[in-house]
Amino acid sequence: MKKSHVLLVFTFLLLIPYICSLLIIGIGYNALVLHSAEIYRTIIGALVGSIIMFAVKATIQRPVDLLAVQINDGLLKQLLRFFSIRRRYYLLFANIILDFILCFAATYLVRSVLTLDQIVGSSIGFVLLIMFVSTCLGAYVEYDNLSIDPEQH
């Protein structure tokens, strides 16, 4: 498979939904938690968010493995490995810590960029729409390689 094709699938099937998941965590936390600006509460929200992100990565393990097998580029392979949970324990722990930091940043950025009315209003719907369209595009582009039986048409 060409590098550009893998990069397209990576962007639409993994990267954009990952960023949308971070935004959903940030929006959900700020919409549900009273006094969400307190540092202790933000840390707890980021901890819960990092556990959720770990679970999300478990659901996309098969597409990640299939894409990683088909690419030889070192940088892209490392980006794909970021989404992999089949790694050594210290790398898994580092991945959860990175997810914690990104969830913390997402909750902070959502709180500082959006107003409370926007957070509680329709922002989650727009993020879910972006995630849905991106996932559909990525799955459409890579349907043959990501299906259980690649010979079916």
Side-chain angles (χ1 to χ4, degrees), residues 18-153:
Y18 182 79
I19 293 169
C20 288
S21 296
L22 288 171
L23 288 174
I24 289 170
I25 289 169
I27 291 167
Y29 169 77
N30 286 304
L32 295 173
V33 176
L34 188 62
H35 306 294
S36 61
E38 291 179 6
I39 190 74
Y40 173 74
R41 292 177 192 225
T42 304
I43 288 172
I44 297 299
L47 179 64
V48 171
S50 65
I51 293 168
I52 291 169
M53 293 306 289
F54 186 78
V56 167
K57 288 178 183 178
T59 63
I60 61 169
Q61 191 61 52
R62 178 167 167 73
V64 168
D65 291 342
L66 290 172
L67 285 174
V69 167
Q70 299 179 17
I71 192 71
N72 292 326
D73 183 76
L75 178 63
L76 190 54
K77 195 174 238 3
Q78 290 304 315
L79 284 173
L80 284 170
R81 290 190 68 191
F82 170 73
F83 290 95
S84 178
I85 60 169
R86 294 181 184 167
R87 297 168 60 175
R88 295 183 193 113
Y89 289 118
Y90 70 90
L91 291 174
L92 283 175
F93 184 69
N95 198 316
I96 291 172
I97 296 297
L98 181 61
D99 282 339
F100 172 80
I101 292 167
L102 292 174
C103 288
F104 188 89
T107 59
Y108 180 78
L109 287 174
V110 164
R111 184 172 50 244
S112 63
V113 171
L114 300 177
T115 65
L116 186 59
D117 289 337
Q118 291 171 326
I119 291 171
V120 176
S122 60
S123 61
I124 196 89
F126 288 120
V127 173
L128 285 173
L129 178 65
I130 292 167
M131 180 186 277
F132 177 73
V133 169
S134 173
T135 305
C136 287
L137 286 172
Y140 175 75
V141 169
E142 195 56 18
Y143 177 77
D144 288 337
N145 290 327
L146 298 178
S147 65
I148 294 172
D149 183 12
E151 300 301 320
Q152 75 182 20
H153 294 285

